[in-house]
Structures are given as structure tokens and as C-alpha cells.
Amino acid sequence: DGGITQSPKYLFRKEGQNVTLSCEQNLNHDAMYWYRQDPGQGLRLIYYSQIVNDFQKGDIAEGYSVSREKKESFPLTVTSAQKNPTAFYLCATHDELGSYGYTFGSGTRLTVV
Amino acid sequence: AQTVTQSQPEMSVQEAETVTLSCTYDTSESDYYLFWYKQPPSRQMILVIRQEAYKQQNATENRFSVNFQKAAKSFSLKISDSQLGDAAMYFCAYRIADSNYQLIWGAGTKLIIKP
């Protein structure tokens, strides 16, 4: 089955640590996105990539970094510079036209301990 | 600027009744797509229904239908025969019909189903 997989489902981070969230897709899509969702709120765009080896900052990129070395993978690193990283993180992708909306992963819940 | 507004932070409906969720958007584009997504307690985002702006006919998916008013820039979601499994956050989203453009999201409406 084609789809998009995020791991881990739950992640705990100590103060000052960097952590990396995984996002893998086997849909052969070029475009991939990372969103942050805080409780009771909508989605805010962190980073996106339209093609391998290229990515763009979204609305809230500070304290985050990404890479896009392979088409199927778009990992997100939450750095120690992100002061309030506790949130739910969603990865998404869409096909070339995007006319059928995004396909989402099941998300990663990150908690600072 | 392109924006999507969902004016109802929370709605409740009796099981088996009908409920309508509101969404308005602001754009100067003529060719775009509109979407409704559902996010149940599992937090998995699920596409409910989509509408292409050039189509006048309102989209329908089983118990879910939209009222698309292009001139008014309105895209409401009607859920008929509400079921307990419909309880979720519902997000309206908009996208220009071009692969370089992202989805613009509304803030969401929490739908509560009363048994």
C-alpha cells in the first residue's frame, strides 16, 4: 500500500536536546510538508520541499531544520533553539497537481520533559 | 493575502440530525481547489470532500455535501444524519490550482455529536 509514515508516534525531549522526526513516503510524490499543531488549533507550516535537495521555510521555521536528500524522505529536526517544541507534528505530501489535497502521516507527539 | 475563515470554533448536533459548518475564504484567483478535512481524536487528518472552483455543481460524498458559493467565497459543509463517529475537528482549506502553491488552512471547527 502506498502511503506516508511518521515515526516515532511519541517522542520525549530533554531541555537542550535536538531530536529528529522521521517522515517517509512511497507515493513517489515530489512535494512534502511539515506542520505543527498546538492543542485546539489549526496547522502551521514549518518547512516544505517541492523537490529533492531543495526546501523552503514556512511560517514558523525558527528552531527547526530539515533535509531532503531522497525523494521519499523528509526528516525534521527540532533544535534546542526551539523554545516551545511541545506539540503535534504532521507530515504531508501531495501529487504533482495537488488537486486531491494532501495525504497526511499519522503524526508525532513531541513532549519536552 | 489569501485567508480561510471558520467562524464557528465549536458546533454541536444531535445524533441523526443535520449540521452545517461554515467556511469563507479570500482570494483573487479564479482557479483553485477547496477541501474539508476531518481530524478525529486519533489526530489522523482525513480528507472528507473536495471542490474544484470551476465546477458549479456542489460536491457530495455520501452524507457529506458542500454548498459552494463562488461569488460569495463561501464553502460550507453539510453533514446529514450525524453519527457519533463524525465527532472531530473539521478544517477547511484552499489551494490555488498550481503545483507551487500550498494549502491555506482555517482554524478549525470542533463538532460535538450528542447521543
Side-chain angles (χ1 to χ4, degrees):
Chain A
D1 276 344
I4 180 167
T5 302
Q6 288 187 244
S7 63
K9 192 172 179 66
Y10 300 97
L11 186 58
F12 297 90
R13 191 194 94 167
K14 293 182 180 179
E15 296 278 355
Q17 266 187 343
N18 293 353
V19 290
T20 297
L21 284 60
S22 171
C23 178
E24 303 277 332
Q25 55 104 355
N26 60 3
L27 298 165
N28 200 34
H29 291 171
D30 285 313
M32 297 186 75
Y33 300 79
W34 274 107
Y35 286 96
R36 171 179 171 142
Q37 188 178 30
D38 291 285
Q41 297 188 29
L43 279 67
R44 292 188 289 169
L45 183 64
I46 305 172
Y47 268 98
Y48 64 101
S49 170
Q50 300 282 9
I51 199 166
V52 174
N53 292 323
D54 186 52
F55 49 82
Q56 308 295 328
K57 292 182 179 180
D59 301 320
I60 56 165
E62 186 175 349
Y64 300 97
S65 66
V66 293
S67 63
R68 190 79 188 280
E69 297 176 359
K70 299 186 295 182
K71 188 175 187 176
E72 59 269 25
S73 179
F74 190 41
L76 173 74
T77 296
V78 184
T79 74
S80 57
Q82 171 51 240
K83 299 306 178 188
N84 184 23
T86 294
F88 187 65
Y89 292 86
L90 281 163
C91 182
T93 182
H94 67 71
D95 64 11
E96 183 178 333
L97 293 179
S99 58
Y100 287 89
Y102 289 9
T103 299
F104 283 86
S106 56
T108 293
R109 172 70 182 175
L110 173 63
T111 303
V112 174
V113 296
Chain B
Q2 297 155 64
T3 58
V4 176
T5 302
Q6 294 180 248
S7 59
Q8 306 150 318
E10 187 174 296
M11 292 280 287
S12 63
V13 62
Q14 205 72 34
E15 193 176 1
E17 299 290 306
T18 295
V19 64
T20 298
L21 308 184
S22 301
C23 173
T24 58
Y25 56 95
D26 187 20
T27 184
S28 58
E29 302 291 330
S30 60
D31 193 12
Y32 50 87
Y33 303 104
L34 294 160
F35 306 91
W36 277 99
Y37 279 86
K38 169 185 177 180
Q39 189 180 38
S42 68
R43 307 198 77 170
Q44 175 73 54
M45 292 289 280
I46 303 164
L47 179 64
V48 175
I49 199 165
R50 61 184 283 273
Q51 174 81 41
E52 293 155 309
Y54 67 86
K55 289 187 176 179
Q56 292 186 344
Q57 186 173 6
N58 290 324
T60 299
E61 291 286 343
N62 300 314
R63 297 182 296 106
F64 298 87
S65 61
V66 299
N67 183 5
F68 173 47
Q69 302 288 330
K70 191 171 183 179
K73 297 179 184 176
S74 172
F75 183 59
S76 60
L77 175 70
K78 185 172 84 171
I79 305 174
S80 304
D81 184 25
S82 298
Q83 300 175 0
L84 293 177
D86 295 333
M89 285 289 291
Y90 286 82
F91 293 96
C92 179
Y94 151 96
R95 184 173 185 274
I96 296 173
D98 183 305
S99 61
N100 291 325
Y101 287 90
Q102 315 143 27
L103 275 175
I104 309 297
W105 294 87
T109 296
K110 182 178 181 179
L111 179 62
I112 297 168
I113 310 294
K114 298 178 181 177

